[in-house]
Amino acid sequence: MISKQDVYQLLDKLESNIADDLESQTLDFKQWNKRSLDDNVKLMLKMAVCMANGGGGSIVFGVADKVKGRSDAILGVPQEIDTTLLQKSIYEKTDPHLTPVFEEITVPEGTKRLLLMNVYPGMPPYTTTDGAATIRQGKECIPFTGTLRRQMVGASTEMDYTSEIIYEDWKELFSPSAMERIREIMSKERVDQTLLTLSDKDLLESIGALRDDFLTKGALLLVGKPDALSRIIPQHKWSYRKMMSDTDYTLRDDGTQSIPVALYELERYISVDNTVVTIESGLVHPEFSTYPTIALREALLNAFGHRDFRIPGTVMLKQYKDKLILTNPGQFIGGITEKNILHHPPVARNDHLMDLLDRLKLVNRSNLGVSRIYRSLLIEGKEPPVYREVGNNIELTFTASPLKKGFKTIVDALTNEGKTLDVDHLLILQYLLRHEQIDSTVASIVAQRSMEQARELLSRMNNDFNLIEPIGRGKGRYFTLTRYSYGLLEKDMKYERQQRLDKEAIKIRVLSILKERDLTNKEIRQMTGLTSKQVQRLIKELKSDGVAVIGHGAGTKYTFDK
């Protein structure tokens, strides 16, 4: 990427050169089209995809690239152009999403304003949302053909930033305190004792962190001194904020220490307000934290291990009174989204770093990390984590939900019977703590499974675990908690209902089910949250749509008159 100062120096060269002479693999100049804003957006979109596929680059808008002389070449960009809208448009029209960074450059010529668009490297291939793509080669953007895309995917392992070797004396870069933290974690994770007895050098060599007496960048992130990390990997930073509101905080800390040391510091800050409760269970009184240690450690290590070290930013932890928000630079890769992250096959941006963390038993590479985060929260009846992609960052939110004793009782009771609830079952059960019913469509969303898998989950929870029971048949079928579940969850059953369906949505849902089967007043009440009188009024309103009433009193049914 080039800076604004770099651009100013290049503009001075326009007196004796045309802009095209100054262009390179990572730099281009483009003239602004005065007649059509849409054409300019399309050009920006094309250049963003081109540069991202080519490893990143910068484009200066407002300069004619075939004209010599500053006054003639610098035409400028209109002052009213909003860069926020440009950035939003490019983000929405690229796949995966790209978020270029815009900077304004003030000049005396033309409209007095140029735009610098920096496109940071990511994990290509990138396309527009309609599938079009180019790639930067030299000074040109050429079609990104299938052959080129296959070549890029095949070479992806060679693009791992963390696998690069640092050709300096490793002892000068090495931090004994970082290695001490690593050994502490390894000991707690009960790794092979032979690893713990190795010398620092032998341990690093055995896991592939030390190659021919040189550290890799991934190794430096684990055992490097802060000053070495700041110099060699300046993008590696971590930050903590204890938040009073969305804009104010009472405590802050920032660091460039290695990952194990950063992990220790961040966990230490969290623990101050990580309330612990106990549950009486015979002679044993187990303790439970608001944020389980397993979930926190997995989340923090994933943030460091999967962050994009090629773009600026920091691993940021914000601790509010009622939640934790953890963000790390980088977008989802390899087809992972917030809607499939729980079960998607593992994909690593920093394959070498994740391999080192796995060998040291700091993380699990079998895609169990995310599952462990979910499970450690769900077995205590707490809210599941929420993942989001926000611009160039991945955001993970933990809600400070209380331990639900009844929920834990269910898990323990089934465990004692030799039955194990996996994360999918726990997600559905946790959903039913807050909503009185669930159908296969909702279950597939909640558990991040296909419709067929969701039906199987619900069936097993009904037949094998006796946790839920079906109501109705066909498309209108849904499930509620059984009496057995209600009994164990009695103290937890304070439903936090979602917003009630609006009137028209209720009508549509009831009518669609009535076209499949008859319904009673009670079934509609369970389905909608309406009172008995409200259901009667609803049915009157639906008579014009073909709904009829059969019978009287307790035996009344509502049917669709075909």
Side-chain angles (χ1 to χ4, degrees):
M1 303 304 110
I2 64 172
S3 65
K4 290 173 65 173
Q5 189 58 41
D6 294 331
V7 174
Y8 282 123
Q9 293 176 2
L10 288 170
L11 294 178
D12 289 338
K13 296 181 179 181
L14 291 177
E15 290 298 345
S16 56
N17 296 273
I18 62 173
D20 186 70
D21 295 335
L22 307 177
E23 293 178 349
S24 65
Q25 170 72 28
T26 58
L27 176 64
D28 209 325
F29 290 88
K30 292 298 178 186
Q31 183 174 337
W32 190 264
N33 186 334
K34 297 179 180 179
R35 296 187 301 275
S36 173
L37 177 60
D38 286 344
D39 285 348
N40 288 303
V41 173
K42 289 178 182 177
L43 176 61
M44 287 184 163
L45 180 62
K46 174 186 174 183
M47 293 305 300
V49 170
C50 172
M51 287 298 192
N53 285 328
S58 307
I59 306 96
V60 180
F61 290 94
V63 178
D65 63 351
K66 302 293 185 182
V67 180
K68 185 182 292 187
R70 277 189 61 124
S71 59
D72 294 325
I74 300 176
L75 305 175
V77 174
Q79 293 288 339
E80 67 271 15
I81 297 299
D82 188 338
T83 57
T84 302
L85 295 179
L86 294 175
Q87 186 181 60
K88 181 175 182 290
S89 181
I90 293 172
Y91 176 85
E92 292 175 344
K93 295 178 181 179
T94 49
D95 184 19
H97 296 306
L98 287 169
T99 309
V101 177
F102 285 93
E103 290 188 80
E104 296 187 11
I105 297 174
T106 303
V107 292
E109 298 88 358
T111 64
K112 318 296 185 185
R113 183 195 192 207
L114 302 178
L115 290 182
L116 169 63
M117 182 174 80
N118 281 324
V119 181
Y120 289 92
M123 292 295 288
Y126 291 94
T127 71
T128 61
T129 49
D130 60 9
T134 57
I135 184 172
R136 189 73 168 180
Q137 289 198 355
K139 297 197 297 183
E140 302 297 328
C141 289
I142 66 171
F144 197 15
T145 62
T147 299
L148 286 175
R149 295 186 194 189
R150 284 194 295 273
Q151 290 174 352
M152 175 170 287
V153 172
S156 61
T157 56
E158 301 172 9
M159 299 167 60
D160 183 356
Y161 175 86
T162 62
S163 68
E164 295 177 9
I165 296 175
I166 305 167
Y167 293 100
E168 298 182 27
D169 184 353
W170 73 274
K171 298 184 189 67
E172 297 298 319
L173 307 175
F174 179 78
S175 167
S177 61
M179 180 57 82
E180 182 182 349
R181 293 294 176 201
I182 288 176
R183 290 183 182 276
E184 286 177 4
I185 297 174
M186 291 173 66
S187 179
K188 290 178 181 178
E189 293 296 325
R190 299 178 182 177
V191 300
D192 188 340
Q193 285 297 312
T194 57
L195 280 177
L196 291 174
T197 59
L198 294 175
S199 67
D200 292 340
K201 181 179 181 181
D202 289 341
L203 176 56
L204 292 173
E205 286 180 335
S206 70
I207 64 172
L210 200 59
R211 299 175 181 174
D212 298 325
D213 261 3
F214 295 111
L215 291 173
T216 61
K217 286 186 175 179
L220 187 70
L221 288 163
L222 294 179
V223 299
K225 295 177 180 178
D227 59 341
L229 282 162
S230 296
R231 176 171 58 85
I232 299 171
I233 311 179
Q235 303 92 330
H236 171 65
K237 299 174 183 176
W238 60 268
S239 300
Y240 171 82
R241 302 288 185 271
K242 185 174 182 179
M243 307 298 295
M244 295 173 57
S245 66
D246 286 337
T247 56
D248 297 315
Y249 55 83
T250 58
L251 178 65
R252 67 170 287 172
D253 193 10
D254 303 279
T256 58
Q257 294 97 326
S258 63
I259 292 174
V261 178
L263 182 67
Y264 172 80
E265 294 295 333
L266 290 170
E267 287 182 336
R268 184 170 61 85
Y269 280 125
I270 296 171
S271 65
V272 175
D273 294 308
N274 195 9
T275 306
V276 175
V277 298
T278 60
I279 293 181
E280 294 187 14
S281 180
L283 298 176
V284 181
H285 293 182
E287 296 184 341
F288 298 89
S289 302
T290 301
Y291 305 108
T293 301
I294 292 176
L296 289 175
R297 178 156 294 183
E298 290 286 346
L300 288 167
L301 285 170
N302 281 345
F304 283 109
H306 291 295
R307 74 145 291 172
D308 193 336
F309 289 98
R310 295 168 298 179
I311 62 176
T314 181
V315 173
M316 170 69 77
L317 179 65
K318 293 182 178 179
Q319 186 169 11
Y320 296 81
K321 183 178 181 180
D322 59 348
K323 62 187 175 183
L324 285 177
I325 298 180
L326 177 64
T327 59
N328 64 271
Q331 300 171 322
F332 288 123
I333 61 171
I336 294 176
T337 69
E338 56 263 36
K339 295 180 180 179
N340 67 15
I341 190 170
L342 181 55
H343 301 297
H344 195 283
V347 182
R349 174 183 283 110
N350 306 307
D351 198 65
H352 174 64
L353 174 60
M354 294 304 293
D355 190 49
L356 295 179
L357 290 169
D358 180 44
R359 288 169 181 262
L360 293 170
K361 303 301 179 186
L362 272 67
V363 299
N364 186 293
R365 295 215 60 188
S366 302
N367 200 34
L368 298 180
V370 173
S371 183
R372 289 180 72 185
I373 293 172
Y374 272 81
R375 184 173 182 80
S376 63
L377 292 163
L378 292 169
I379 58 174
E380 298 176 9
K382 295 177 180 178
E383 294 282 336
V386 177
Y387 286 89
R388 291 199 311 149
E389 187 176 272
V390 183
N392 273 336
N393 293 276
I394 303 299
E395 179 184 277
L396 170 59
T397 300
F398 290 129
T399 302
S401 47
L403 170 73
K404 292 182 172 60
K405 184 177 179 180
F407 197 98
K408 191 75 170 60
T409 302
I410 279 187
V411 175
D412 292 342
L414 288 171
T415 300
N416 292 335
E417 295 175 14
K419 300 175 181 178
T420 301
L421 291 174
D422 61 26
V423 172
D424 294 339
H425 302 127
L426 292 170
L427 280 166
I428 291 171
L429 191 58
Q430 203 277 343
Y431 179 88
L432 285 169
L433 281 178
R434 298 175 291 114
H435 310 84
E436 291 182 351
Q437 63 188 46
I438 191 169
D439 58 26
S440 54
T441 300
V442 175
S444 70
I445 297 171
V446 169
Q448 300 182 15
R449 293 292 194 182
S450 67
M451 285 289 290
E452 183 178 347
Q453 291 170 323
R455 293 190 188 100
E456 179 61 30
L457 285 170
L458 293 171
S459 176
R460 190 172 183 209
M461 292 182 73
N462 170 217
N463 298 322
D464 296 353
F465 299 149
N466 190 32
L467 294 176
I468 59 175
E469 58 186 354
I471 304 294
R473 296 171 297 163
K475 292 183 179 180
R477 191 184 200 197
Y478 61 92
F479 291 80
T480 63
L481 292 169
T482 61
R483 181 174 297 180
Y484 165 73
S485 297
Y486 272 113
L488 293 176
L489 291 169
E490 185 177 359
K491 293 182 180 179
D492 293 337
M493 296 308 296
K494 293 181 180 179
Y495 284 102
E496 302 166 15
R497 270 187 168 276
Q498 288 179 313
Q499 280 190 325
R500 295 186 184 276
L501 296 170
D502 60 46
K503 193 171 183 179
E504 290 304 312
I506 289 175
K507 285 184 178 180
I508 293 171
R509 183 174 183 185
V510 171
L511 189 61
S512 66
I513 296 175
L514 284 170
K515 289 180 180 180
E516 300 291 331
R517 64 181 179 88
D518 296 345
L519 289 171
T520 65
N521 188 292
K522 180 180 179 180
E523 287 176 325
I524 296 178
R525 295 201 309 271
Q526 291 175 328
M527 181 187 311
T528 63
L530 298 177
T531 65
S532 179
K533 293 291 185 182
Q534 288 172 327
V535 171
Q536 292 173 11
R537 287 196 293 269
L538 174 69
I539 295 301
K540 286 183 180 179
E541 294 177 13
L542 289 175
K543 283 186 177 180
S544 60
D545 293 302
V547 176
V549 180
I550 302 175
H552 300 281
T556 301
K557 287 187 176 181
Y558 308 120
T559 188
F560 181 72
D561 188 359
K562 300 177 182 179

